Amino acid sequence: MRKLLLSILPLLAVAACTRVDSRSGLVLGDQDYFERQGVNVLVFSNAFNGGFNDEKNSGIEIIHHGVRTVQGGAVRLSNTPEQWDLVPQSTRSVDHETGTVEVTLRYPEYNFDSRIVARAEGKAVRIEVWLDKPVPAELEGDAGFNIELLPSQYWQKTYVMDGKVGRFPRYSASETVTRPNEEKVKQFKGYRTYDDRGTGRFVDPLPLVAGHELTVAPDAPERMIRFSSEDAEISLYDGRLLAQNGWYVLRSVLPAGKTGKVLSWLVEPNAVAGWVREPNVGFSQVGYLPEQQKVAVIELDPLDKPRATAEVWQVREDGSTRMAFSGRLKSWGKYYKYNYVKFDFSSVREPGVYYLRYGDVQTGNFIIGDDVLDRITDATSDVWIPIHMNHMMVNEAYRIWHGEPFKEGYLQAPANTDHFDLHSQGPIDTKYKAYQLIPGLNVGGFFDAGDFDIETGSNISVVQNLVSDWERFKPMRDETFVSEEQRYVDLHRPDGVPDVIQYIEHGTLNLVAQAENIGHMAQTLSNSVLDNYHHLGDAAAITDGLHYDPRLKPYQKSADGKSSGTPDDMWAFTTRNPFLDLQAATMFAAASRALGGYNDALAARALKQSKRLMKEGTELMERAMAEGSPMMRGRGGFGNMSTNLQLYVCTGEQSYLDAFQEQIWPALDRGVSFAIQPALDAIPYLDEAYKERLRPYVEQYKEYLDGLDKDNPYGVPIGMGNWAASGSVVSFGTTAAFASKYFPDIIGPEYALKAAGYMFGCHPYHNYSLVAAVGAARPKAVFYGNNRADFSFIPGNVAPGVLFRQPDHFENFDDWPFLWGQNEGTIAGNTAYLIFGTALQQLVKE
Ligand SMILES: [Ca+2]
Ligand SMILES: [Ca+2]
Ligand SMILES: [Ca+2]
């Protein structure tokens, strides 16, 4: 679904929404959720089918005065479900005749089916749980109806249960019991989220309070909700006791031995009379170049009547202010649930400090100046990237970010293992036995993201990104001390070597070690047990640093202190993928070019592995092609376009160039927006005729760029996936910057600057910069990093950003870090941001 209404209308459609006001009751609207002004109750608009089990994004949800504060309403099997607890399969049917939404839920692991029926009852929603067969005996006492409240929106607020007042705890410190492991309901694929320390028992939170009538947040009208049940007791739990990303949970256990309607709740979210969402004035928090186009996008509640004008105010050096510009607003129209108007203040060019005013809304300040983009990559390069260096101790001034992780190295993953982070080990295809130490892998490499594994594919991209940054821009910045010998990194301490070279070296060290010691590339070097995968804090504390010896008892140490019986060692998932080998081959060739003169020994090792993997990878794919293997289906050549181009660049062999040329033109014909980047990448290596042949596609690309202004009010590609789309905006911006560099007569710099504006605050939901701590008055303050339990950030991190939730809601929490699809920066994404930022800086200098 795209834009719902084009915006030629001078006045926005207000009348269409008047039926949803705060005086009337809830109605089942045309978006298939219950609504009244200030309240949306969604019933499985979002099912539990995200990539990572319980993503805290599903089931019955409430968007309360613009904020999604409630989710997880479903039949669940524990008091406070964690990410890897079982989630139900669901099918939903919506009946507008009767005004009901019915959802069937199934847990195939227990052959357990239930139904939820929801309907409006005045200002409340009636939720019923129906069973055709009684709860299976083994789930009696475990199966219940749960609904979850967002802690950051409820902590320190009050609640009243059956007349007794309490306060939601700021931090979890309530009571638990332990129960025998045999009573624990199965978790994802038989894994366990907890380490029982040999007790044979798991932890079960006790309720804070229980009763039949609960009002939450009577002290905060925008958050107040009444829950009641005549036939069941409602208990309030604190899910953070088990997992920092847990929510407050309201729960009623389903009665044993019963069928039919077994439980009924009435849920009444308060609506503030006449509530209208405050306008979200989107602008670049980092600021603007004097000559650039400057357009703020203002997001408006559908009931909000747009104003005719907005203003730019200047802050003078003596602290006084003056209105610098007042201009008319242009209506863009409706995009999902909100209306949008645009404010063009390009004519304000004088360098200085400014803010915007739209009615009563006054934004934070921003700078107009020649140098506003100069520092946009520094935090990423100086802080975020080095903190994510694996197998090193990382220090910053008085703080140790982490010690040296995984000193005991990596074991061969056992055959036929299905992993919890989307990997699997097939039959063992190395000279090692299951659980045997593969030597030499605990060196170099980067943590994937908010977790601590080495994703080989990501690490290949990282080295490729960094080499591309080095070869295109030669960044000589040196703010990081890196000693591979001491395994020590010190931030803000120059050591005479450009940091990007050291990062390339660090990435290459691990990837070369994989190729040399395994014989080919691993899929991933990752956790073997789920109970240390969800680790928060110092990476050096994930494992005990001792080799695992199965002859010892768990938690027991050997007499020489070098091994332990705790099975915490990381595993190498080695199943061979010739595509990955070929990607690694091109990356090794690039790395060897960049490292020459800095680390000749490593450059030589990388080149040797490049040649070997290229030969072996090619043979493996030729064999697969000859055998008609499904893995080769739909591929025009051995690699993708970019790989073939890289192969040509590093070997000079015509066959790779032919393969690239065979792929690139049909790909451009199929979709210019997808193929234009590799086509532009080839320009430095090909002749003028190639560039001229590309010209009409660049003209087409411009049409695509201009068309985005009709797709959404922000004019950038806004993804609708389960992981928000900063990455695609950054890649769009990079492509637009390169298109502008090579074809300045067709593509101006405004498109790349628009991508920057989106990243730095001109986007839906709120106007915070999506890059941590970078040049903005209001950058996002919480991210899903290894310090997420501290509700903090690592400077330079790029958030995935504004996440789309079905059917019509965008969000990015900045008071709750734990939703990875909104808040987790990745090493591949952040090194791609480095290229974007540098390309943009170069473009505007030219
Ligand atoms: Ca990972
Ligand atoms: Ca350095
Ligand atoms: Ca160990």
Side-chain angles (χ1 to χ4, degrees):
M1 188 174 67
R2 292 291 167 91
K3 181 166 77 120
L4 302 169
L5 182 69
L6 272 172
S7 72
I8 352 171
L9 304 172
L11 272 180
L12 298 170
V14 173
C17 300
T18 46
R19 63 187 172 77
V20 186
D21 75 27
S22 47
R23 293 177 303 271
S24 63
L26 285 165
V27 294
L28 181 57
D30 54 9
Q31 293 294 310
D32 292 346
Y33 56 73
F34 300 99
E35 53 185 318
R36 63 198 281 241
Q37 190 178 341
V39 176
N40 304 157
V41 181
L42 283 59
V43 181
F44 280 77
S45 296
N46 298 287
F48 288 91
N49 55 6
F52 300 94
N53 244 38
D54 184 355
E55 301 197 326
K56 302 298 177 198
N57 265 335
S58 317
I60 296 175
E61 305 176 83
I62 299 176
I63 297 168
H64 207 179
H65 300 100
V67 182
R68 194 172 58 98
T69 53
V70 173
Q71 59 78 43
V75 171
R76 300 300 303 272
L77 308 181
S78 60
N79 294 337
T80 61
E82 297 173 64
Q83 184 188 341
W84 294 275
D85 282 321
L86 298 180
V87 293
Q89 300 170 348
S90 60
T91 5
R92 177 176 80 137
S93 56
V94 180
D95 187 340
H96 284 273
E97 297 269 295
T98 58
T100 55
V101 182
E102 179 166 337
V103 185
T104 62
L105 299 176
R106 176 165 178 75
Y107 286 94
E109 299 84 353
Y110 287 99
N111 195 22
F112 171 42
D113 297 285
S114 57
R115 277 183 292 134
I116 288 177
V117 179
R119 73 175 65 84
E121 208 173 284
K123 294 173 180 172
V125 175
R126 169 74 61 189
I127 300 170
E128 297 165 353
V129 178
W130 290 72
L131 298 177
D132 297 329
K133 280 188 282 181
V135 173
E138 51 187 335
L139 289 179
E140 284 178 6
D142 293 316
F145 178 74
N146 291 16
I147 201 161
E148 306 193 353
L149 309 180
L150 182 60
S152 55
Q153 290 289 327
Y154 279 97
W155 61 41
Q156 294 170 315
K157 296 188 172 78
T158 58
Y159 59 79
V160 185
M161 177 69 95
D162 293 347
K164 193 174 177 323
V165 171
R167 194 179 294 284
F168 284 101
R170 175 62 182 83
Y171 199 90
S172 53
S174 49
E175 292 71 39
T176 63
V177 291
T178 65
R179 292 167 57 192
N181 283 341
E182 307 83 77
E183 293 179 13
K184 178 83 179 174
V185 170
K186 293 171 195 168
Q187 295 187 290
F188 180 63
K189 292 182 182 173
Y191 285 101
R192 263 189 2 200
T193 49
Y194 60 100
D195 175 0
D196 70 5
R197 302 308 292 181
T199 63
R201 301 177 74 84
F202 71 99
V203 175
D204 205 13
L206 292 173
L208 289 157
V209 68
H212 287 270
E213 281 184 32
L214 172 69
T215 303
V216 300
D219 52 325
E222 289 194 1
R223 294 290 165 263
M224 176 176 158
I225 308 177
R226 290 173 192 280
F227 297 87
S228 60
S229 177
E230 284 166 15
D231 46 19
E233 188 177 69
I234 300 175
S235 300
L236 166 63
Y237 291 91
D238 191 338
R240 298 171 299 170
L241 291 163
L242 294 187
Q244 274 79 359
N245 64 347
W247 293 39
Y248 298 122
V249 182
L250 303 178
R251 165 171 169 89
S252 293
V253 172
L254 302 185
K258 283 201 175 167
T259 57
K261 185 172 77 179
V262 296
L263 182 147
S264 167
W265 281 21
L266 197 63
V267 178
E268 185 182 334
N270 183 52
V272 175
W275 177 83
V276 173
R277 182 176 179 260
E278 182 173 293
N280 168 34
V281 181
F283 67 101
S284 170
Q285 294 268 358
V286 164
Y288 299 87
L289 303 165
E291 299 306 320
Q292 83 169 92
Q293 205 178 50
K294 306 173 194 71
V295 181
V297 179
I298 303 168
E299 182 177 66
L300 295 171
D301 191 287
L303 294 177
D304 198 351
K305 190 166 175 280
R307 308 179 69 87
T309 59
E311 295 159 1
V312 182
W313 284 70
Q314 184 173 17
V315 181
R316 291 202 188 91
E317 198 180 342
D318 66 0
S320 66
T321 59
R322 66 159 191 121
M323 190 172 78
F325 176 73
S326 168
R328 292 195 70 77
L329 301 173
K330 236 191 191 157
S331 169
W332 186 88
K334 196 172 183 208
Y335 180 64
Y336 293 97
K337 69 165 87 153
Y338 297 129
N339 286 317
Y340 294 82
V341 295
K342 288 192 181 191
F343 176 44
D344 189 329
F345 56 101
S346 304
S347 62
V348 182
R349 294 196 177 88
E350 189 191 324
V353 180
Y354 296 88
Y355 58 83
L356 304 178
R357 279 183 72 161
Y358 173 82
D360 297 335
V361 178
Q362 178 178 321
T363 69
N365 70 60
F366 60 90
I367 293 172
I368 294 181
D370 285 323
D371 56 357
V372 293
L373 298 176
D374 285 6
R375 313 194 71 90
I376 58 175
T377 59
D378 295 350
T380 308
S381 169
D382 296 359
V383 185
W384 197 91
I385 292 174
I387 286 172
H388 286 72
M389 292 168 91
N390 200 341
H391 306 118
M392 306 289 266
M393 176 184 272
V394 179
N395 182 66
E396 179 179 27
Y398 290 10
R399 175 186 198 166
I400 299 283
W401 277 93
H402 58 78
E404 182 192 332
F406 314 126
K407 285 184 179 167
E408 66 267 71
Y410 296 80
L411 310 182
Q412 168 70 55
N416 307 318
T417 302
D418 219 2
H419 194 232
F420 36 80
D421 197 17
L422 309 181
H423 292 285
S424 64
Q425 172 72 46
I428 291 175
D429 52 353
T430 67
K431 62 184 176 190
Y432 305 97
K433 296 191 189 70
Y435 311 110
Q436 192 184 344
L437 179 74
I438 302 180
L441 297 180
N442 55 334
V443 62
F446 293 91
F447 301 135
D448 174 29
D451 50 1
F452 304 90
D453 49 338
I454 290 189
E455 289 282 350
T456 301
S458 292
N459 271 262
I460 290 173
S461 303
V462 166
V463 174
Q464 199 76 262
N465 284 343
L466 292 168
V467 171
S468 146
D469 192 44
W470 177 249
E471 293 189 334
R472 283 161 166 164
F473 311 114
K474 279 279 175 306
M476 300 305 288
R477 192 172 178 85
D478 173 22
E479 288 296 330
T480 311
F481 170 94
V482 181
S483 168
E484 294 291 346
E485 200 188 340
Q486 294 175 25
R487 300 212 167 200
Y488 192 87
V489 176
D490 198 11
L491 310 189
H492 318 301
R493 175 193 291 275
D495 63 358
V497 184
D499 300 335
V500 167
I501 283 292
Q502 288 169 313
Y503 303 155
I504 293 171
E505 181 180 43
H506 194 70
T508 307
L509 276 168
N510 184 269
L511 295 164
V512 163
Q514 288 190 23
E516 289 176 346
N517 295 298
I518 295 171
H520 55 263
M521 304 314 292
Q523 288 180 20
T524 183
L525 308 179
S526 190
N527 306 66
S528 60
V529 284
L530 182 53
D531 68 63
N532 70 21
Y533 173 70
H534 50 55
H535 178 86
L536 300 172
D538 186 345
I542 295 174
T543 63
D544 60 9
L546 308 173
H547 294 293
Y548 171 55
D549 183 345
R551 293 168 301 183
L552 298 166
K553 290 200 187 90
Y555 316 106
Q556 188 187 6
K557 276 184 200 165
S558 63
D560 65 2
K562 287 182 177 162
S563 43
S564 83
T566 306
D568 64 2
D569 296 18
M570 305 281 277
W571 286 350
F573 288 76
T574 60
T575 298
R576 187 166 200 173
N577 172 352
F579 296 113
L580 202 60
D581 286 352
L582 215 59
Q583 276 168 27
T586 64
M587 171 276 303
F588 281 140
S592 128
R593 288 198 303 270
L595 290 170
Y598 285 96
N599 184 339
D600 289 325
L602 184 61
R605 285 167 65 197
L607 193 60
K608 184 175 170 196
Q609 294 307 321
S610 173
K611 290 180 172 156
R612 184 177 66 79
L613 287 180
M614 200 174 298
K615 181 166 174 292
E616 292 181 15
T618 307
E619 283 166 7
L620 283 169
M621 282 200 258
E622 273 170 354
R623 200 179 314 154
M625 196 110 86
E627 288 165 1
S629 157
M631 114 182 145
M632 300 303 295
R633 211 164 284 154
R635 289 185 181 255
F638 292 150
N640 58 28
M641 291 175 290
S642 299
T643 309
N644 281 326
L645 178 65
Q646 278 299 319
L647 286 166
Y648 171 68
V649 173
C650 66
T651 65
E653 272 178 34
Q654 185 65 28
S655 59
Y656 294 121
L657 183 60
D658 293 345
F660 172 75
Q661 293 256 31
E662 265 168 45
Q663 289 170 321
I664 192 72
W665 303 110
L668 284 164
D669 286 331
R670 277 196 300 275
V672 76
S673 64
F674 295 104
I676 194 77
Q677 181 67 56
L680 294 168
D681 288 341
I683 286 177
Y685 308 103
L686 295 175
D687 56 12
E688 198 57 29
Y690 170 82
K691 196 176 164 190
E692 275 316 296
R693 190 174 168 192
L694 201 52
R695 176 169 287 274
Y697 292 103
V698 177
E699 283 161 358
Q700 257 184 54
Y701 180 58
K702 181 171 189 309
E703 284 169 34
Y704 160 77
L705 294 178
D706 290 333
L708 287 168
D709 274 330
K710 296 189 189 70
D711 179 86
N712 67 72
Y714 299 94
V716 298
I718 297 181
M720 299 290 158
N722 204 30
W723 193 281
S726 280
S728 64
V729 174
V730 163
S731 129
F732 159 86
T734 305
T735 305
F738 279 102
S740 179
K741 173 187 163 87
Y742 293 125
F743 297 91
D745 54 322
I746 304 175
I747 311 261
E750 62 269 23
Y751 305 99
L753 286 164
K754 210 185 284 186
Y758 186 91
M759 297 305 297
F760 299 141
C762 189
H763 51 66
Y765 195 69
H766 56 53
N767 65 6
Y768 311 153
S769 168
L770 300 174
V771 189
V774 169
R778 179 50 167 102
K780 263 182 69 60
V782 307
F783 283 73
Y784 185 102
N786 57 45
N787 58 348
R788 60 190 175 274
D790 306 322
F791 288 69
S792 187
F793 58 87
I794 298 177
N797 200 4
V798 182
V802 187
L803 185 71
F804 180 69
R805 308 300 310 140
Q806 291 290 351
D808 60 0
H809 184 68
F810 285 97
E811 80 184 8
N812 179 277
F813 285 125
D814 202 45
D815 60 355
W816 190 249
F818 299 105
L819 300 183
W820 47 85
Q822 313 182 4
N823 286 335
E824 183 179 18
T826 65
I827 183 68
N830 287 348
T831 48
Y833 171 77
L834 209 57
I835 296 180
F836 167 64
T838 318
L840 187 66
Q841 287 162 346
Q842 199 192 57
L843 183 69
V844 302
K845 291 226 156 63
E846 275 166 4

